[in-house]
Amino acid sequence: MIRRTFLAALAFVAALPAAAFAEAPLKVVATTGMIADTARQIGGDQVEVKGLMGPGVDPHAYRQTRTDIVAMTRADLVLWHGLYLEAQMEDFFDDLGRKQTVVAVAEGVDKGKLRAHDDYADKYDPHVWMSPVLWRDVVIEVQDALTLARPEAAELFAANTQAFLAEIDALSAYGEQMLTAVPEDNRMLVTAHDAFGYFGAEYGYEVLGVQGISTQSEAGLNRIGELVDTLVNRQLKAVFVESSVSDRSMRALIEGAAAEGHEVGVGGELYSDAMGELGTYEGTYIGMLDHNITVIAGALGADVPQRGMNGNLSAGF
Ligand SMILES: [Zn+2]
């Protein structure tokens, strides 16, 4: 009898951690929306994710606020992108990493797959979310970080990761199908800053940004002139604005081309470095890329489904 009570007590103690975890989700803070959504997809109800950079926020220029610092010091896990994307927060994360579990999830991508950075010899282009194939590697990094932080939920995280990767593969196939339906001469993407290098490499598009890989460099008048010439020579009909960058330089391009008698329009607004509103389809990683693929292919001459891959895009984008 005593023995049985003892065993029952032991079983109760052993069951405690699982019960405690079920009640308290892991507190995760992520810098960009793309990382935050990935952590939500994998973590399910085992995580409570706070994304620091909302719609329209430029990660190249972002600095942590006081509220962000409080959230990060209270978190169980902090996920940031790395690859010098959050250039203004590097020192902060170096410091935080001494007291907290901080993971730069894009640093896990095999360096052989990365593009060189135009402005810094020893750095890489950080915009890996633009390629569904590269983002798969980041998904695995996020899975690993969550699993280390909560090993008890490893199976759930693994199952959610597989489901998310399947969605990413479907997105990748949709991208291939839509973007190769664009006439070959039109496969050129002109945007405000150079965020689409991986996208272009994956789908065979020439990509020209007014600004470089970071939004922190100035767009020179020479660069505008060069791009106007390209638009006119190639008779390109559309350029694209970005939700997280001013459209000023794109207007200069359109006016410049008009002055030379060539009419260029805005093909649409793309999500380059930030996603749409939280709680909307465009506020998810899949929705963000579905939007970009559909808008780009549609504006450059392919026949695209109005509401995107699964009919989830907002009407009239
Ligand atoms: Zn960028």
Side-chain angles (χ1 to χ4, degrees):
M1 191 67 198
I2 289 165
R3 190 180 152 74
R4 276 175 82 174
T5 314
F6 176 67
L7 281 179
L10 258 189
F12 176 72
V13 171
L16 255 185
F21 284 133
E23 280 158 25
L26 204 60
K27 283 202 197 88
V28 180
V29 172
T31 52
T32 70
M34 293 72 85
I35 301 170
D37 180 57
T38 299
R40 285 187 191 105
Q41 299 294 336
I42 298 170
D45 60 6
Q46 291 291 301
V47 298
E48 189 181 288
V49 182
K50 179 182 167 65
L52 300 185
M53 303 176 191
V57 173
D58 176 358
H60 302 283
Y62 191 82
R63 282 174 197 278
Q64 65 280 2
T65 66
R66 209 170 290 194
T67 323
D68 294 346
I69 296 170
V70 172
M72 284 189 272
T73 50
R74 287 181 184 164
D76 298 307
L77 176 64
V78 177
L79 302 175
W80 64 302
H81 188 82
L83 298 178
Y84 209 54
L85 176 72
E86 304 98 331
Q88 312 301 321
M89 295 172 80
E90 293 258 316
D91 295 344
F92 172 79
F93 282 121
D94 280 349
D95 278 350
L96 190 70
R98 292 193 196 102
K99 317 165 223 161
Q100 272 281 28
T101 311
V102 171
V103 183
V105 290
E107 297 281 354
V109 180
D110 177 357
K111 299 289 184 282
K113 299 178 187 171
L114 297 179
R115 297 171 73 232
H117 199 301
D118 297 340
D119 304 329
Y120 310 98
D122 59 337
K123 299 207 186 319
Y124 299 95
D125 179 347
H127 301 91
V128 292
W129 57 90
M130 289 298 184
S131 154
V133 174
L134 287 180
W135 196 249
R136 289 181 121 265
D137 292 1
V138 176
V139 169
I140 302 296
E141 291 294 315
V142 174
Q143 180 198 359
D144 288 349
L146 290 177
T147 305
L148 269 178
R150 182 160 289 185
E152 298 79 3
E155 274 182 38
L156 172 81
F157 296 156
N160 288 348
T161 298
Q162 287 316 308
F164 190 42
L165 289 177
E167 276 189 74
I168 291 178
D169 291 345
L171 175 78
S172 203
Y174 173 72
E176 190 72 40
Q177 191 195 348
M178 291 301 123
L179 293 160
T180 54
V182 169
E184 259 176 67
D185 285 351
N186 294 356
R187 292 184 197 169
M188 185 188 265
L189 195 55
V190 180
T191 58
H193 91 295
D194 214 348
F196 291 84
Y198 294 110
F199 185 96
E202 194 156 319
Y203 298 112
Y205 277 59
E206 203 175 328
V207 172
L208 298 168
V210 178
Q211 283 178 296
I213 284 172
S214 169
T215 56
Q216 303 301 289
S217 56
E218 275 298 311
L221 281 176
N222 287 347
R223 180 70 180 151
I224 300 271
E226 259 172 44
L227 286 175
V228 166
D229 289 345
T230 306
L231 290 174
V232 175
N233 293 338
R234 296 277 296 260
Q235 290 292 299
L236 202 72
K237 298 270 184 276
V239 296
F240 297 88
V241 297
E242 298 173 36
S243 66
S244 54
V245 184
S246 154
D247 65 353
R248 205 176 41 187
S249 58
M250 304 322 288
R251 281 190 274 122
L253 284 186
I254 291 169
E255 282 162 25
E260 296 189 26
H262 176 60
E263 196 184 322
V264 178
V266 172
E269 185 180 78
L270 304 178
Y271 296 113
S272 53
D273 292 0
M275 310 196 302
E277 293 290 338
L278 189 63
T280 67
Y281 178 57
E282 287 81 356
T284 65
Y285 175 72
I286 299 284
M288 167 195 196
L289 261 75
D290 185 2
H291 169 95
N292 287 350
I293 290 165
T294 308
V295 168
I296 292 167
L300 297 179
D303 231 347
V304 295
Q306 261 299 309
R307 309 285 291 264
M309 175 170 65
N310 299 318
N312 292 329
L313 287 180
S314 312
F317 52 72

Coordinates of all heavy atoms in Angstrom, one line a residue, residues 21-51:
F21 N 4.1 22.7 -19.0 CA 4.4 23.2 -20.3 C 3.1 23.4 -21.1 O 2.9 24.4 -21.8 CB 5.2 22.2 -21.1 CG 6.6 22.2 -20.7 CD1 7.3 21.1 -20.4 CD2 7.3 23.5 -20.5 CE1 8.7 21.1 -20.0 CE2 8.6 23.5 -20.2 CZ 9.3 22.3 -19.9
A22 N 2.1 22.5 -20.9 CA 0.9 22.6 -21.6 C 0.2 23.9 -21.3 O -0.5 24.5 -22.1 CB 0.0 21.4 -21.3
E23 N 0.4 24.4 -20.1 CA -0.3 25.6 -19.7 C 0.5 26.9 -20.1 O -0.1 27.9 -20.3 CB -0.4 25.6 -18.1 CG -1.6 24.8 -17.7 CD -1.5 24.4 -16.2 OE1 -0.8 25.1 -15.5 OE2 -2.1 23.3 -15.9
A24 N 1.8 26.8 -20.2 CA 2.5 28.0 -20.5 C 3.3 27.8 -21.8 O 4.3 27.1 -21.9 CB 3.5 28.3 -19.4
P25 N 2.8 28.5 -22.8 CA 3.5 28.4 -24.1 C 4.9 29.0 -24.0 O 5.1 29.9 -23.2 CB 2.7 29.2 -25.1 CG 1.4 29.5 -24.4 CD 1.6 29.4 -22.9
L26 N 5.8 28.6 -24.8 CA 7.2 29.1 -24.9 C 7.1 30.5 -25.4 O 6.4 30.8 -26.4 CB 7.9 28.2 -25.9 CG 9.4 28.1 -25.8 CD1 9.9 27.5 -24.5 CD2 9.9 27.2 -27.0
K27 N 7.7 31.5 -24.7 CA 7.7 32.9 -25.1 C 8.8 33.1 -26.2 O 10.0 33.0 -25.8 CB 7.9 33.8 -24.0 CG 6.7 34.0 -23.1 CD 6.8 35.3 -22.3 CE 5.8 35.4 -21.2 NZ 6.4 34.8 -20.0
V28 N 8.4 33.4 -27.4 CA 9.4 33.6 -28.5 C 9.3 35.0 -29.0 O 8.2 35.5 -29.2 CB 9.2 32.6 -29.6 CG1 10.2 32.7 -30.7 CG2 9.2 31.1 -29.1
V29 N 10.4 35.7 -29.2 CA 10.4 37.0 -29.8 C 11.2 36.8 -31.1 O 12.3 36.2 -31.1 CB 11.1 38.1 -28.9 CG1 11.2 39.4 -29.7 CG2 10.2 38.3 -27.7
A30 N 10.7 37.3 -32.2 CA 11.3 37.2 -33.5 C 11.4 38.6 -34.1 O 10.5 39.4 -33.9 CB 10.6 36.3 -34.5
T31 N 12.5 38.9 -34.8 CA 12.6 40.3 -35.4 C 11.7 40.5 -36.6 O 10.7 41.2 -36.5 CB 14.1 40.5 -35.8 OG1 14.5 39.5 -36.7 CG2 15.0 40.7 -34.6
T32 N 11.9 39.7 -37.7 CA 11.0 40.0 -38.8 C 9.7 39.2 -38.8 O 9.6 38.2 -38.1 CB 11.8 39.6 -40.2 OG1 11.9 38.2 -40.2 CG2 13.1 40.2 -40.2
G33 N 8.8 39.6 -39.6 CA 7.5 38.9 -39.7 C 7.7 37.5 -40.2 O 7.0 36.6 -39.9
M34 N 8.6 37.4 -41.2 CA 8.8 36.1 -41.8 C 9.3 35.0 -40.8 O 8.8 33.9 -40.8 CB 9.9 36.2 -42.9 CG 9.4 37.1 -44.1 SD 9.4 38.9 -43.8 CE 11.1 39.4 -44.0
I35 N 10.2 35.5 -39.9 CA 10.7 34.5 -38.9 C 9.5 34.2 -37.9 O 9.3 33.1 -37.4 CB 11.9 35.1 -38.2 CG1 13.0 35.3 -39.2 CG2 12.4 34.1 -37.1 CD1 14.2 36.1 -38.6
A36 N 8.8 35.3 -37.5 CA 7.7 35.2 -36.5 C 6.7 34.2 -37.0 O 6.2 33.3 -36.3 CB 7.1 36.5 -36.2
D37 N 6.3 34.3 -38.3 CA 5.3 33.4 -38.9 C 5.8 32.0 -38.9 O 5.1 31.0 -38.6 CB 4.9 33.8 -40.3 CG 3.9 32.9 -40.9 OD1 2.8 32.7 -40.3 OD2 4.1 32.3 -42.0
T38 N 7.1 31.8 -39.3 CA 7.7 30.5 -39.3 C 7.7 29.8 -37.9 O 7.3 28.6 -37.8 CB 9.1 30.6 -39.9 OG1 9.0 31.1 -41.2 CG2 9.8 29.2 -39.9
A39 N 8.0 30.6 -36.9 CA 7.9 30.1 -35.5 C 6.5 29.7 -35.1 O 6.3 28.7 -34.4 CB 8.5 31.1 -34.6
R40 N 5.5 30.5 -35.6 CA 4.1 30.1 -35.3 C 3.7 28.9 -36.0 O 3.0 28.0 -35.4 CB 3.2 31.3 -35.7 CG 3.3 32.5 -34.8 CD 2.2 33.5 -35.2 NE 2.5 34.8 -34.4 CZ 3.0 35.9 -35.0 NH1 3.3 35.9 -36.3 NH2 3.3 36.9 -34.2
Q41 N 4.1 28.7 -37.2 CA 3.7 27.5 -38.0 C 4.3 26.3 -37.4 O 3.6 25.3 -37.3 CB 4.2 27.6 -39.4 CG 3.7 28.8 -40.3 CD 2.2 28.7 -40.5 OE1 1.6 27.7 -40.5 NE2 1.6 29.9 -40.7
I42 N 5.5 26.3 -36.9 CA 6.1 25.2 -36.3 C 5.7 25.0 -34.9 O 5.5 23.8 -34.4 CB 7.7 25.3 -36.4 CG1 8.1 25.4 -37.9 CG2 8.4 24.1 -35.7 CD1 9.6 25.7 -38.1
G43 N 5.6 26.1 -34.1 CA 5.4 26.0 -32.7 C 4.0 25.7 -32.3 O 3.7 25.1 -31.2
G44 N 3.0 26.0 -33.2 CA 1.6 25.8 -32.9 C 1.2 26.4 -31.5 O 1.6 27.5 -31.2
D45 N 0.5 25.6 -30.7 CA 0.0 26.1 -29.4 C 1.1 26.0 -28.3 O 0.8 26.4 -27.2 CB -1.3 25.4 -29.0 CG -1.1 23.9 -28.8 OD1 0.1 23.4 -28.9 OD2 -2.1 23.2 -28.6
Q46 N 2.2 25.5 -28.7 CA 3.3 25.5 -27.7 C 4.1 26.8 -27.7 O 5.0 26.9 -26.8 CB 4.3 24.3 -28.1 CG 3.6 22.9 -27.8 CD 3.4 22.7 -26.4 OE1 4.3 22.7 -25.6 NE2 2.2 22.4 -26.0
V47 N 3.8 27.7 -28.5 CA 4.6 29.0 -28.5 C 3.7 30.2 -28.5 O 2.5 30.1 -29.0 CB 5.5 29.1 -29.8 CG1 6.6 28.0 -29.8 CG2 4.7 29.1 -31.1
E48 N 4.2 31.3 -28.0 CA 3.5 32.5 -28.1 C 4.6 33.5 -28.7 O 5.6 33.7 -28.1 CB 3.2 33.0 -26.7 CG 2.3 34.2 -26.5 CD 2.1 34.5 -25.1 OE1 1.4 33.7 -24.4 OE2 2.7 35.5 -24.6
V49 N 4.3 33.9 -29.9 CA 5.4 34.6 -30.7 C 5.1 36.0 -30.8 O 4.0 36.4 -31.2 CB 5.5 34.0 -32.1 CG1 6.7 34.7 -32.9 CG2 5.8 32.5 -32.0
K50 N 6.1 36.9 -30.5 CA 5.9 38.3 -30.7 C 6.9 38.7 -31.8 O 8.1 38.4 -31.7 CB 6.3 39.1 -29.4 CG 6.2 40.6 -29.5 CD 6.6 41.2 -28.2 CE 6.9 42.7 -28.4 NZ 5.7 43.5 -28.7
G51 N 6.4 39.3 -32.9 CA 7.2 39.8 -34.0 C 7.5 41.3 -33.7 O 6.6 42.0 -33.5

